[in-house]
Amino acid sequence: MEDSAYRRDCEALRTRWNDRIACADGPLPGSVLDPLVTPQGWCGHVQLAEGQRAGTVIDAVSDIAKAYDLPDGSIVVRTMAENRQVFIWGYTTKSGADYHLSWPHPVLDGSEFVDIKRQSNGTTLLDLVQLTTWARAHKESWDAVRAGREMDVQQFVRRLNRLRAGIVDILTRAKPQQIRELLMRVGLDRASLPNDLAEELNYPHDRDPTIPIPPLAAHPERSERPQGHARVHRLRHRAGDAWPKYTGAKRTAAGPRACPPAPAW
């Protein structure tokens, strides 16, 4: 195992770093690379020397790519908590680095709020607020595309991937019903979500009723009847048999008078 091809490849990466990057006249003199070989190239942790910062590594990405015979733009650098440490990826293709940069950072893994201590493995209000913000941003892009308005496709994809990553991560700590109700309150329909997530959330189809509609009453309540009808009903009940019957005459203060005959048309 000590003489394996993998270990030899890792050692070759370290040797080239020392010879071309960390040497006295290199872009990062005195720095140390702890590399790992990946199917897409290599990656590794870099310990910087005194006076060097993450910005120093970012300025040296072209030199690093040239030293490892990689295409320009194929190096990705990510800062770490310690100012004198960075993590670096070297991809054999520029598209690999471009895909890496499209990664939906940050994700809802519980570390996005460093100033608030997580009390449990479940979701927090801040998790749900962040996911709601991402869902609203995606809905804005989705509505623009559906309406035929001008929309940056790259922004659309970035917002979709960010929402997808947030849903996938938060589902490890929340029930699908909780996430489904959150997305429905935002106003997202099923067509705006990837099919696999819609199935996992049991998201309703557009034709499925989301708010039950109560059946109409067979008869209106007394308070819903016309006021005139209710008043006449009360007077008729009080008058009983004394209530005048319609006989073709109208009752007046002076007594009944005959209605004029209907005109002959």
Side-chain angles (χ1 to χ4, degrees):
M1 187 66 180
E2 290 294 335
D3 195 29
S4 68
Y6 174 80
R7 290 185 179 274
R8 289 198 301 270
D9 291 343
C10 291
E11 185 60 31
L13 292 170
R14 185 181 295 106
T15 300
R16 183 169 299 195
W17 182 276
N18 294 336
D19 295 342
R20 302 283 298 273
I21 305 300
C23 57
D25 57 348
L28 299 171
S31 61
V32 178
L33 171 67
D34 184 14
L36 295 173
V37 177
T38 69
Q40 296 81 26
W42 58 272
C43 66
H45 174 268
V46 178
Q47 180 69 45
L48 301 177
E50 186 68 31
Q52 297 175 355
R53 296 292 184 268
T56 313
V57 183
I58 295 175
D59 293 339
V61 292
S62 295
D63 295 329
I64 297 173
K66 186 177 180 180
Y68 286 93
D69 299 322
L70 299 176
D72 191 28
S74 61
I75 301 296
V76 177
V77 178
R78 184 175 182 182
T79 60
M80 302 183 69
E82 295 291 336
N83 292 332
R84 293 176 55 191
Q85 296 180 6
V86 298
F87 203 89
I88 188 171
W89 288 264
Y91 289 94
T92 56
T93 62
K94 185 177 180 179
S95 62
D98 181 73
Y99 184 84
H100 182 113
L101 293 173
S102 300
W103 188 277
H105 295 294
V107 292
L108 295 177
D109 60 356
S111 63
E112 59 273 14
F113 304 107
V114 296
D115 56 336
I116 297 178
K117 183 179 179 181
R118 181 175 293 277
Q119 299 295 334
S120 67
N121 294 327
T123 59
T124 67
L125 178 60
L126 293 176
D127 288 332
L128 301 179
V129 168
Q130 187 74 288
L131 188 65
T132 301
T133 301
W134 294 349
R136 288 173 176 167
H138 172 59
K139 183 178 185 300
E140 178 184 348
S141 300
W142 173 256
D143 291 343
V145 171
R146 293 292 296 270
R149 298 194 299 271
E150 184 176 353
M151 181 66 201
D152 182 6
V153 175
Q154 186 175 4
Q155 183 186 58
F156 178 89
V157 174
R158 183 170 61 251
R159 288 178 172 181
L160 173 60
N161 287 337
R162 183 177 61 181
L163 177 62
R164 176 186 177 86
I167 293 175
V168 170
D169 287 334
I170 207 169
L171 277 176
T172 62
R173 310 190 303 272
K175 294 182 179 179
Q177 179 183 357
Q178 184 181 16
I179 308 306
R180 181 177 67 247
E181 292 177 353
L182 182 150
L183 298 178
M184 290 175 65
R185 283 196 297 269
V186 171
L188 287 173
D189 55 23
R190 186 185 177 98
S192 65
L193 299 174
N195 288 334
D196 59 337
L197 290 184
E199 291 293 336
E200 187 170 358
L201 295 174
N202 193 23
Y203 215 80
H205 293 272
D206 294 343
R207 63 179 181 272
D208 294 341
T210 57
I211 301 177
I213 301 176
L216 296 177
H219 300 285
E221 296 294 335
R222 186 180 299 264
S223 60
E224 297 178 353
R225 295 177 181 175
Q227 293 184 1
H229 176 81
R231 183 170 181 272
V232 170
H233 179 78
R234 289 195 299 270
L235 292 175
R236 187 190 298 272
H237 178 73
R238 292 173 183 175
D241 294 338
W243 185 262
K245 304 295 190 297
Y246 178 74
T247 57
K250 292 184 178 179
R251 180 176 295 275
T252 64
R257 66 177 176 84
C259 294
W265 300 97

